[in-house]
Amino acid sequence: MNAAVDKKALATWIDKNKKPFEDLALEIWEKPEMAHEEKEAVRLQTAFLEKRGFRVTQKEGLPTAFMAEWGTGGPVVGILGEYDALAGLSQAVTAKCAPVVPDAPGHGCGHNLLGVGCMLAACAVKEIFAAQNIAGTVRYYGCPAEEQLTGKGEMAKLGYFQGTDLSLAWHPGDHTSVSDSVMTALVSAKFKFKGKAAHAGGSPEAGRSALDAVELMNVGANYVREHMIDQDRLHYVITNGGLAPNIVPSDAEVWYYARAPHDGELRSLWNRLVNVAQGAAMMTETQVSHHILGGCYNTLANRRLNKALEENLISFAGSAGFDAEDLKFGREIQATLPKDQIEASLAKLSLEGDDRILDSTPLPCFDTGTFIMGSTDVGDVANMMPTSLLWGATWPVGVVAHSWQATACTGSAIGLKGMIQASKALAGCIYDIAKDASIVSEAKEEFAQRREGRKYCPIEDLLQA
Ligand SMILES: [Zn+2]
């Protein structure tokens, strides 16, 4: 038996069997569903996987989450799928802003590709493990509501991730590489102030304004900014500012996101924010209460697992094979972007002066020690077990996620080809994990060291402990 030839069967299987997966990714793209509303995506994916011999389980309490499992024994490898879309990003597959349905959702983050690409890897692993008698279990996780950053934390509370040794994920993007950057930890919380209504003109002295409290809280929070670390973030919207100017508002509410590079720093930022809210309540003689809507951990790369994934991305997955037509569409899409946006993306990739448009050539992992000032609930899983994530080129350099350009590309041949490349890297990595027990043991050892033995608990519990 030749190990390389045996493993190649995975890529051959993917190339031969990709069509129904491509169709499924496009079907989900055509029916974009928002966070926690992904009923059709879940119906399509569970039916697809059941038909192909996966055991599908769903736990009560989170209707658009599921797990599809195949195999026996260890190692148990999870692949993190997603399928939610974004508000207002409906867009046709064309190089000008043209919603299919105005104001409707669209797949501007490519989660239609993200989920199905993971399914394709899981199915390829199943077929080749069965044919070659390889022991191991593969779990495809159907994760809801990534765009609200809470789906995987909620799945964790239901016990979905118990018994999984390690996890792999990928995300659509403008380049192809394994990621070692940190995406920030986040808490989402609403602060409600309760005051006293009164005639704002006739008897203002009888009123206590909840809106004043919200405004003072925001002023206080803005003064915190000067004394927080560079990677901390605070953003807010006022969700209730009162009813009419002639009534002193008795109720007001402000909704905050706080982000920090790691959960420990998030805790200290959160405590300061709660103090600011209490100060605002004291100044205005109102009462304040808060409600944490959810949150997520910072990502935590696992370098041993990253190495295994990167070897497969560079030496096994091949390129996405973008052809002249893809490049033409990519060029047209890229032409809609401001020049400095493209230059900033090239600089991020250390490719200044390069004129690349669309390129799936894997870059070596380049982002160790950097921060991405967004968040993902993959962070929750990454703080439960060794986890590795790769970016796959599914749109031209300079396009950013959550844009109409991204939606156009994730419904095009460009998106599908990037998805196939990513699925090969994931499948190849799972193959290596099953063949070489040292990957799991070394990844787990590194994970334990980096977590310093701390047990995972959901962000809201951590902040309120
Ligand atoms: Zn996303």
Side-chain angles (χ1 to χ4, degrees):
M1 296 274 267
N2 179 326
V5 171
D6 291 347
K7 186 173 162 186
K8 201 166 180 296
L10 276 174
T12 309
W13 191 92
I14 288 173
D15 285 330
K16 261 199 198 147
N17 294 279
K18 64 187 178 183
K19 181 73 172 73
F21 294 87
E22 292 173 339
D23 292 346
L24 180 62
L26 292 182
E27 192 171 356
I28 293 170
W29 185 89
E30 279 163 13
K31 298 173 183 165
E33 297 165 301
M34 300 275 288
H36 289 304
E37 293 167 8
E38 315 95 325
K39 291 189 187 69
E40 187 60 8
V42 168
R43 190 187 68 76
L44 289 167
Q45 291 198 357
T46 52
F48 192 99
L49 289 164
E50 265 172 352
K51 204 172 114 191
R52 284 161 179 79
F54 281 77
R55 304 179 290 273
V56 172
T57 51
Q58 281 196 289
K59 295 178 191 285
E60 222 169 291
L62 203 52
T64 55
F66 70 94
M67 180 179 77
E69 184 182 52
W70 178 86
T72 44
V76 182
V77 182
I79 321 181
L80 308 173
E82 295 164 14
Y83 27 66
D84 57 335
L86 287 152
L89 282 179
S90 172
Q91 166 66 31
V93 180
T94 180
K96 63 173 197 303
C97 184
V100 179
V101 181
D103 303 323
H107 272 289
C109 209
H111 294 183
N112 62 310
L113 305 171
L114 194 167
V116 176
C118 293
M119 288 169 62
L120 177 51
C123 289
V125 164
K126 169 185 176 279
E127 294 303 323
I128 302 312
F129 276 30
Q132 298 182 10
N133 266 325
I134 300 171
T137 301
V138 59
R139 291 175 163 181
Y140 170 80
Y141 284 106
C143 307
E146 195 284 328
E147 297 297 356
Q148 285 184 1
L149 304 164
T150 54
K152 294 179 192 66
E154 288 168 31
M155 288 176 78
K157 284 185 224 163
L158 295 174
Y160 266 107
F161 297 106
Q162 276 166 18
T164 306
D165 289 311
L166 41 79
S167 277
L168 299 174
W170 82 285
H171 200 289
D174 70 354
H175 67 282
T176 303
S177 81
V178 171
S179 173
D180 189 19
S181 68
V182 176
M183 293 181 80
T184 51
L186 172 140
V187 58
S188 162
K190 287 184 173 173
F191 292 83
K192 247 184 217 297
F193 290 88
K194 184 89 191 151
K196 250 198 296 186
H199 193 295
S203 48
E205 72 286 353
R208 295 292 180 268
S209 170
L211 177 60
D212 287 356
V214 162
E215 290 188 278
L216 286 165
M217 177 179 176
N218 295 344
V219 170
N222 286 325
Y223 272 88
V224 170
R225 286 184 206 279
E226 195 186 340
H227 307 287
M228 62 190 205
I229 57 174
D230 286 352
Q231 296 88 10
D232 280 354
R233 293 286 186 275
L234 286 172
H235 7 269
Y236 57 80
V237 289
I238 296 174
T239 40
N240 178 11
L243 299 170
N246 63 347
I247 309 167
V248 174
S250 60
D251 294 278
E253 184 186 74
V254 59
W255 181 12
Y256 267 83
Y257 274 15
R259 301 181 204 248
H262 306 99
D263 52 290
E265 290 137 343
L266 183 66
R267 194 169 168 162
S268 81
L269 183 62
W270 168 251
N271 289 338
R272 294 173 76 188
L273 193 60
V274 171
N275 284 342
V276 166
Q278 284 165 352
M282 191 185 283
M283 281 190 281
T284 51
E285 297 177 40
T286 58
Q287 274 89 49
V288 64
S289 60
H290 65 253
H291 166 56
I292 296 181
L293 281 79
C296 64
Y297 274 78
N298 52 281
T299 55
L300 177 70
N302 187 282
R303 302 214 166 111
R304 179 63 191 94
L305 198 50
N306 269 7
K307 186 169 165 268
L309 187 57
E310 183 169 80
E311 280 166 9
N312 280 283
L313 185 61
I314 292 175
S315 309
F316 181 71
S319 82
F322 296 128
D323 61 19
E325 209 172 308
D326 302 325
L327 287 171
K328 181 174 171 280
F329 186 53
R331 195 174 292 118
E332 287 165 6
I333 287 277
Q334 205 184 46
T336 67
L337 305 173
K339 214 166 169 265
D340 56 356
Q341 189 173 320
I342 302 167
E343 280 165 5
S345 291
L346 287 167
K348 179 189 75 185
L349 304 173
S350 302
L351 295 169
E352 293 95 336
D354 201 299
D355 58 357
R356 73 183 61 201
I357 301 154
L358 185 63
D359 197 336
S360 63
T361 310
L363 300 168
C365 180
F366 60 87
D367 55 4
T368 299
T370 64
F371 293 93
I372 295 178
M373 302 318 301
S375 308
T376 170
D377 61 12
V378 171
D380 282 81
V381 181
N383 281 277
M384 274 179 253
M385 67 186 81
T387 298
S388 188
L389 179 141
L390 69 91
W391 296 100
T394 56
W395 52 65
V397 174
V399 169
V400 292
H402 300 201
S403 65
W404 67 259
Q405 290 92 342
T407 310
C409 294
T410 60
S412 77
I414 295 175
L416 296 177
K417 288 176 184 173
M419 175 183 89
I420 303 297
Q421 182 188 25
S423 74
K424 285 180 185 169
L426 295 172
C429 186
I430 296 171
Y431 192 95
D432 289 351
I433 290 165
K435 289 275 183 175
D436 178 359
S438 73
I439 298 176
V440 176
S441 60
E442 288 170 20
K444 283 189 171 179
E445 201 175 309
E446 178 190 334
F447 175 82
Q449 270 174 13
R450 295 188 74 177
R451 283 284 297 164
E452 295 167 339
R454 290 178 301 144
K455 263 193 85 175
Y456 168 87
C457 81
I459 279 290
E460 55 264 48
D461 298 346
L462 186 81
L463 296 183
Q464 292 175 128

